[in-house]
Amino acid sequence: MLPPVLNVIALASFAAALSQRALDPVLPHVADDLLVTVAVAAGLSSALAFTFAIVQPVLGAAADMFGKARLMIVCLVLLGLASILGALTTSYPLLLATRVLAGIGAGGVFPVTLSLTSDLVGPKLRQVALSRVMAGAMTGNLLGSTASGVIGDFFGWRGVLVILGSLAIAASVAVALGFKGAALVKPTAKADLRKLARGYKVIFRNPNTLIVYSAVFVEGCCILGLFPYISSFLFDRGVTSLSIAGLVIACFAVGGLFYTATVSRMLAQLGINGMMIYGGIVIAIQLAATAFSPNWQIQALSLLLMGWGFYMLHGSLQIFSTELSQEARASAMSLHAFCFFMGQSVGPIAYGFGLAHAGKMPTLLVSAAIVFALGFTSAKLLKQRKPADAGSA
């Protein structure tokens, strides 16, 4: 039986994800309003994503020291206020600064929701519970760009930031009420840097650590790193509609939702190792299919299947990350997110180099081969191990 408070955690994950892609559909309007090029305005999204990644070790440690639910509430408020302040800015540098703050806020929500869920749910139901929280984030990613486009048509890009920022603040209130009086709101002990250092030692003493962190980096690079090029691939096929491009990319999140509906059955049939192997196979097939430039309808189906396979693999890797440490679980999950988002930062650069020098088909086929091997390698090398600090506190 999953705890009802899991719905509150999923709501927080949804609100944070909703704001992360807030400006992507309205970047041309931002560029016109602030007198910069669209290429420069695109730096707003990069700034948020990069900040999200680099703050992970710090925020994970803060969650372990000061309380996970408490930090999640503070970060949701920061995300909301940063978005609203961004709507009031009159220059690009000021808007960029608010997106950096929003990156810090978003960065303190999603990994903490995963570690908090792991605290609340035992290992047997943990992958199912994590899939529920991930469903909140996936729905936020799915609706974020769509909602921003609709809001932008009526209220402009400033209205997008005000409305989505207000939703983040409302989510912080819901989390505060949902955890009112709960023991997890307060840290279990006073802040202790020596305890924090011990937590990191426990994490990196675990043989699974370097394997799982390397695996999620490769995932971010080879899978999510492809996404900035999907629209251009469709454009090469003569599909210039941004609505169709958005629909195709959104199918990846739909595949993730399909994963949440099937994870219990698949886990029982395949086990966690089988999930990694089959997830890698499904992703590799779809990357290879993309190399052959299918029409947009086939590409949409391919992205849906890729999303399903991705969450089979990624959801399994998350389970191993939650078991790297018991006392420093938030730190472990934040390092997990750091490696994953750094992979997403490197991925577009690597794909850009490959596409420019080798061409589309060789680049995507190499990426497919890497992910294919990743599933088998992860299943072979990762072993279920009890955290070294389990039961120590």
Side-chain angles (χ1 to χ4, degrees), residues 53 80 165 184 189 211 225 249 263 294 367:
L184 285 173
I211 300 167
I249 294 172
V263 59
S367 185

Side-chain angles (χ1 to χ4, degrees), residues 52-57 333-343:
F52 188 109
I54 63 173
V55 299
Q56 292 308 307
M333 293 308 297
S334 292
L335 288 171
H336 171 108
F338 169 79
C339 293
F340 182 52
F341 278 86
M342 287 304 295

Side-chain angles (χ1 to χ4, degrees), residues 246-299:
L247 175 64
V248 170
I249 294 172
C251 284
F252 185 87
V254 175
L257 293 175
F258 181 66
Y259 160 81
T260 66
T262 58
V263 59
S264 298
R265 190 179 304 111
M266 289 191 301
L267 193 58
Q269 293 178 350
L270 302 177
I272 193 168
N273 283 17
M275 293 270 281
M276 289 188 283
I277 292 172
Y278 282 97
I281 292 172
V282 170
I283 299 164
I285 292 172
Q286 306 319 313
L287 285 171
T290 301
F292 291 91
S293 302
N295 60 39
W296 75 264
Q297 293 92 340
I298 299 299
Q299 184 69 83

Side-chain angles (χ1 to χ4, degrees), residues 77-313:
V77 171
L78 175 61
L79 173 60
L81 291 178
S83 297
I84 294 171
L85 287 174
L88 303 176
T89 58
T90 56
S91 71
Y92 178 79
L94 287 175
L95 180 58
L96 183 66
T98 63
R99 298 315 286 166
V100 169
L101 290 175
I104 297 173
V109 177
F110 184 59
V112 173
T113 62
L114 297 181
S115 62
L116 192 52
T117 301
S118 300
D119 288 343
L120 291 166
V121 181
K124 290 185 178 180
L125 292 176
R126 188 170 292 159
Q127 190 157 0
V128 176
L130 288 173
S131 74
R132 300 279 178 88
V133 175
M134 288 166 61
M138 287 181 283
T139 305
N141 283 326
L142 180 62
L143 295 179
S145 294
T146 305
S148 294
V150 174
I151 296 169
D153 283 336
F154 287 96
F155 303 106
W157 67 269
R158 298 180 188 275
V160 170
L161 291 177
V162 169
I163 292 173
L164 297 186
S166 299
L167 289 175
I169 294 175
S172 73
V173 174
V175 173
L177 293 175
F179 280 95
K180 188 176 182 180
L184 285 173
V185 173
K186 300 178 181 179
T188 55
K190 293 182 179 179
D192 186 347
L193 292 177
R194 287 176 297 181
K195 183 178 179 181
L196 175 62
R198 288 196 299 272
Y200 278 111
K201 287 181 180 178
V202 168
I203 292 170
F204 285 99
R205 204 162 55 226
N206 194 313
N208 285 339
T209 298
L210 293 180
I211 300 167
V212 73
Y213 288 168
S214 298
V216 296
F217 176 86
V218 173
E219 273 189 323
C221 186
C222 292
I223 303 167
L224 278 300
L226 176 67
F227 278 41
Y229 300 97
I230 296 295
S231 293
S232 65
F233 293 164
L234 295 173
F235 186 84
D236 291 341
R237 290 277 301 178
V239 180
T240 58
S241 169
L242 294 178
S243 297
I244 290 178
L247 175 64
V248 170
I249 294 172
C251 284
F252 185 87
V254 175
L257 293 175
F258 181 66
Y259 160 81
T260 66
T262 58
V263 59
S264 298
R265 190 179 304 111
M266 289 191 301
L267 193 58
Q269 293 178 350
L270 302 177
I272 193 168
N273 283 17
M275 293 270 281
M276 289 188 283
I277 292 172
Y278 282 97
I281 292 172
V282 170
I283 299 164
I285 292 172
Q286 306 319 313
L287 285 171
T290 301
F292 291 91
S293 302
N295 60 39
W296 75 264
Q297 293 92 340
I298 299 299
Q299 184 69 83
L301 176 61
S302 182
L303 264 289
L304 188 151
L305 293 172
M306 190 186 298
W308 182 47
F310 168 76
Y311 284 103
M312 288 174 66
L313 175 58

